[in-house]
Every structure is written in C-alpha cells, then in structure tokens.
Amino acid sequence: MTVHIVPAPAVLVEHPTAPLLLRAGTRLLTCEAGLPAAALLAEVLARATGRALEVEVAQGPVPGALRLELDGDLEPVPGGAVGDAPGLATRAQEAYRLDVDSDGLLLRARDLRGLLRGAATVRQLVELGGDGARIPAVQVEDAPHHGWRGLSIDVARHFFGPADLEPVVDLLWLYKLDVLHLHLTDDQGWRIDLPSRPELVARSSTGAVDGDPGGAFDGQTWADLVAYAADRGIVVVPEIDVPGHVNAALHACGDLVPGGEPTPEYHGIDVGFSRLTAELPATSAFLRDVFTDLAELTPGPYLHVGGDEVLTMAHEEYVDLVGQAAAAVRAADKLVVGWQEVATTSPAPGTVVQVWDLRQDPAPLVEAVQGGALVLMSPATRAYLDLKYDATTSLGLDWAGHVQVHDAYDWEPAAVLPEVPGHAVVGVEAAVFTETLRTRDDLMWMLLPRLPAIAEVGWTSPDARDWADFRRRLARHPALWSADGNAWHPSAQIDWLG
Ligand code: TNX
C-alpha cells in the first residue's frame, strides 16, 4: 500500500490500475465558483512537481485532465458526530468525492470548502518518481467527524507574524483543519492594533518573554493573514484574554490600574498575577472598545474572551467581568468562546467553552452544558503541543506531563469527560503556547508530527481510527514537510520512511 492519507478518509478504494500521469501542459478544469480551489491546487502541485498546470474555466471531460466540480446534489458519506459547530462549515459542505484513474481526476463537492478539503487529499496522493509525477488510481469518499478542528497559537509570549504563520496555515490546510485561533494578548505583549486603542500596541508590543523582540499585527498584516487562511477554508478566531493575563494592557493604560500608575513590562513566564478591576471607571469602556474593534477586524463568527487562570479575584467580580466581555462580543454579532473557567459564570446558551485542564472540577462544565453551552476539547495532556514529547525534549513545558505522538492520537473528544454529553462537543483544538518557542523552526518542531495526530482525531470517525495504521501512513509524511522547508521531530514512536 502506497497511499498514506492523513487524516484517514471515510472511504478509500485503491484500484490496481495505472496511475494518472501529470505531464507538462496537464489541464485543470473547473467552473467559475471552483476557481479558488483550482488555483490553490495548481499552486501546490506546481511547487510539489515543478510542473505548472493550466487552470481553465471549462467543462470536461478532457482525457488526462484534472476536474474540480461543484455538485449541489452530492450527499456526504454517512457518519459524523452529532451536530455541526455553529457558524463553521457543515459536514455536508466539507464533504468531497474523488475519483482518479489514468484517464483523469474528478473531484466533486457541494461547496468550495469541500473542494478545498479534497484538494489537500490530492496533494497527499502525488507521488514523485523516475517517470515524473503521478496520482494513483483511487476512489475516496470523505467528510469530517467533528466540525471544529483547530489549532491555537500563542503569539503573545513570543510574536509570530505572517511569515511564520503562513506556513502553519498551509499545514492546517494539508491536514484539513478549519480553525486558526490566535492568542493575541497576554502579560508579555499586546499583538493586534485596535483603532480605538492605539496605545496598546504603541506601548506594549515591543517586548516578549526573556526580553526577546516583540511585534504586532497592524490592520493590513492582519487582514492579509485572515484572507490567506480563508483562501484555504480556515476561519481565524482571535482571542483577547481577560480579565487575567492582562499585564500588557495594564502597562499601556494606567487608568486600568488601581492608583493609576501603569505596571512595569513583564518578560517572565508566571501566570495568574495580573487582573482587571471591575470598580475602576475605565474598565467597562476598555472591554467594550477592544471587543467591538476586534469584531470589526474579524470576518469569522467567533471571538475568544480568554477567561483562564484568574487567581487573585473574587468569583463575583470574575463573573461580572467575563459577562461584560461576552456581552460586548454578542453586541457585535459574534459568538463567544472562552477557556474552561468561564463555565463557572453561567454562560449564555451557545457559548463555546474550551476545556484545557482535566484537573478542574467538571461540575460547572456539566451545568453550563445543561444551560446550552457547547464544548471544545483541548485537554493539555493530549492536545497541548507546547508540552515536551518526553524527558529528553529541550523545548517546551511539562506542567501536565509529556505528550508523545500516541498520546496526541489515542483519544476521543466526545469521550474524554464522561460527565459531559457527547452531543455538546463541537470538536477539538490543539494549542501551542510559546513561552519557550522563539522561531518558526521551534514552532514546527513541536507541531510535527503531533498536529497530524490531532487532525485525525478531529476529522476521522473513532471507529475508523487505528494507531498502527496511522503510524504506517504518518511515516511517509516527512517528504511533505521537508518539501515545504518545515522542521519536524523524529519521534521514536514512528518508523520513519524517506
Ligand atoms: C496554561 S491554557 C495556560 C497558559 C500557559 C499554558 C502553557 C491556558 C488556558 N492557560 O497561560 O501558557 O498553560 O502550557
């Protein structure tokens, strides 16, 4: 078996017949609405094979051509978790069907996002050999298990800008993830320029952990990144973390601090010490302004309000401040996401609660779900890709133990907390906090090979997942990573092939 698609598709039939050869001048045909997917596929195939494809708006079939078709009648292969994630693509929209033989390739989907998912499968199928590039004869029918399949990146502890993040977005596309969550603010830095509060970036974006250089998104670099992700079927979910993790705001705005004195810059990695103060007159306007501005900058349906690790505040004040942030998000017509602790605030129905710490009492989460909250699963012991692989790993943290590839692979989001009904779980998100990560290579080395494991947890139905088979497929993926210049960790759990 040579085919090694990750995440595993719902149905894969490998035909023993001749492959499709990609030659100079091979044509890529599509309809007007399929053009964005065709253009992306042409670009990645050209990069992979060194051969340009000609994209044309035309009907086929044409012998030897690739065709991308939108087909409103295409029914998704049966299966899937209960319910879609509100605001994200539905299972039917991400479904696709692919048929390849020596006469041509036909990729069909109901929606552009299905074509984008199928295009990632095509990229993984390309084989380079003596006689040039070819795609094996296969039939694939595929659709996701979970609707929300994300990666969260902390760009506050260390800043990662478009040049570092675009290759990460490419990886999300390659593994059929659909959400990029950016943790944009924390004690060490404020990383997004907001029109109503220019002092935040002006005063609090130049530093980072250990005194490393900082940075921030301005309106243009932010819009470009959001568009780059959208072109790949990926929604950006921005996070402003309140009411804790706010030293960067307190350093920029003295009126948020009792006494009025801005706090010093912070370059360490402690958590839990900074906080907003409900009784200060400036606090409510700050919350309203930052989430209103953030909504303006965000075409996607969700804003993340943070809410984690507020260790020096009475519960009543925490409920008040999280409530104000959530109200500002809803007033701007966006859906609210918050870390696990927001479950204790009686969140409004539809709030997405992101579980990260399985040591916390599940009772408030169960109650929040009874009140209509939804759950996104990011348990640190499985999905925190800033944790070390094992004791010999130089980068990363170990506060929740080590996360080897098998740990990242062998779990099911809907079953991780037995108290939480599976129907409330919208999906899975990997997270990478960057206290110890400085460069694109550091980031990639932590993501690869664990991100593909989380991607399969999100996309492939639990009964079709198998560790032995995943190991076999993943072993062939370093060629894909190296072709894009990405660093990766050769975990001893996989028998890597060239
Ligand atoms: C916990 S995740 C945090 C972050 C740290 C991370 C390190 C979360 C909601 N809070 O502040 O960066 O652990 O792994």
Side-chain angles (χ1 to χ4, degrees):
M1 282 236 284
T2 53
V3 171
H4 47 266
I5 302 164
V6 174
V11 175
L12 167 66
V13 181
E14 294 183 60
H15 300 304
T17 52
L20 174 67
L21 301 180
L22 297 179
R23 310 168 201 272
T26 293
R27 295 164 69 187
L28 178 44
L29 313 180
T30 190
C31 55
E32 201 71 47
L35 265 179
L40 180 69
L41 183 59
E43 185 190 315
V44 297
L45 291 184
R47 213 184 322 147
T49 67
R51 287 206 183 89
L53 293 171
E54 291 183 36
V55 177
E56 296 164 54
V57 175
Q59 306 227 314
V62 169
L66 289 70
R67 268 194 303 148
L68 271 52
E69 252 182 28
L70 284 168
D71 174 355
D73 295 331
L74 192 86
E75 284 301 324
V77 59
V82 187
D84 294 310
L88 299 181
T90 64
R91 186 168 188 274
Q93 287 169 326
E94 290 193 292
Y96 69 92
R97 178 173 170 137
L98 176 67
D99 292 278
V100 187
D101 62 25
S102 58
D103 284 341
L105 175 153
L106 176 60
L107 171 61
R108 281 176 293 164
R110 211 187 261 208
D111 187 273
L112 180 60
R113 283 162 291 188
L115 291 181
L116 289 168
R117 302 297 168 243
T121 294
V122 174
R123 168 65 187 97
Q124 291 193 14
L125 284 169
V126 170
E127 294 168 0
L128 299 174
D131 53 351
R134 56 187 185 269
I135 301 178
V138 292
Q139 176 202 324
V140 179
E141 283 178 80
D142 207 5
H145 186 67
H146 288 293
W148 186 310
R149 306 175 307 280
L151 170 66
S152 168
I153 303 182
D154 166 15
V155 298
R157 270 55 174 271
H158 281 99
F159 182 64
F160 294 85
D164 298 316
L165 294 182
E166 286 178 8
V168 175
V169 172
D170 292 345
L171 268 188
L172 298 189
W173 170 76
L174 184 65
Y175 292 110
K176 302 186 174 77
L177 296 164
D178 64 345
V179 171
L180 174 64
H181 162 187
L182 292 174
H183 179 75
L184 290 165
T185 68
D186 212 303
D187 293 316
Q188 299 84 349
W190 189 282
R191 309 299 184 195
I192 187 160
D193 190 25
L194 299 178
S196 71
R197 299 276 170 158
E199 66 273 21
L200 289 164
V201 152
R203 297 196 196 133
S204 284
S205 70
T206 52
V209 165
D210 282 348
D212 287 328
F217 289 98
D218 61 24
Q220 193 59 53
T221 49
W222 176 255
D224 289 349
L225 180 69
V226 169
Y228 189 90
D231 287 347
R232 287 151 185 79
I234 294 160
V235 170
V236 173
V237 175
E239 175 188 351
I240 289 180
D241 196 353
V242 295
H245 290 273
V246 290
N247 186 67
L250 305 187
H251 174 68
C253 312
D255 58 356
L256 296 175
V257 186
E261 265 306 297
T263 57
E265 278 184 41
Y266 184 68
H267 297 151
I269 64 167
D270 287 342
V271 297
F273 60 88
S274 63
R275 50 166 292 177
L276 295 174
T277 302
E279 67 184 16
L280 288 177
T283 298
S284 293
F286 171 81
L287 288 170
R288 195 184 54 239
D289 289 351
V290 297
F291 287 106
T292 306
D293 277 6
L294 193 63
E296 279 293 314
L297 296 171
T298 305
Y302 287 98
L303 302 186
H304 200 305
V305 300
D308 57 313
E309 296 176 316
V310 189
L311 307 180
T312 63
M313 190 182 289
H315 187 244
E316 208 174 294
E317 186 177 358
Y318 176 76
V319 173
D320 176 10
L321 291 170
V322 169
Q324 289 188 46
V329 171
R330 281 193 296 272
D333 272 333
K334 299 291 182 186
L335 303 168
V336 179
V337 198
W339 292 109
Q340 189 168 356
E341 290 91 330
V342 307
T344 66
T345 66
S346 307
T351 303
V352 174
V353 179
Q354 185 167 12
V355 168
W356 63 280
D357 184 357
L358 297 182
R359 298 165 306 187
Q360 289 182 25
D361 177 8
L365 185 66
V366 171
E367 217 175 292
V369 167
Q370 282 162 359
L374 301 169
V375 179
L376 175 62
M377 282 296 176
S378 303
T381 47
R382 304 292 189 173
Y384 268 34
L385 306 188
D386 59 308
L387 296 185
K388 293 175 183 290
Y389 289 89
D390 57 39
T392 69
T393 311
S394 54
L395 297 171
L397 304 176
D398 59 6
W399 64 268
H402 301 141
V403 178
Q404 254 299 1
V405 187
H406 182 258
D407 302 309
Y409 185 80
D410 193 24
W411 64 292
E412 165 49 34
V416 72
L417 279 177
E419 303 89 338
V420 174
H423 67 79
V425 175
V426 294
V428 55
E429 197 169 277
V432 55
F433 289 91
T434 58
E435 287 93 336
T436 67
L437 311 178
R438 292 181 165 77
T439 64
R440 170 182 166 187
D441 281 357
D442 290 352
L443 201 55
M444 289 294 182
W445 196 85
M446 297 305 264
L447 294 178
L448 297 172
R450 293 180 292 190
L451 187 66
I454 298 286
E456 185 150 312
V457 169
W459 179 276
T460 307
S461 75
D463 51 344
R465 287 204 276 120
D466 176 68
W467 167 245
D469 188 59
F470 176 73
R471 285 181 76 229
R472 175 191 68 75
R473 285 177 281 122
L474 188 68
R476 295 191 179 270
H477 281 235
L480 291 164
W481 308 332
S482 302
D484 287 340
N486 291 328
W488 59 284
H489 169 64
S491 163
Q493 291 191 333
I494 311 294
D495 298 324
W496 300 104
L497 296 167

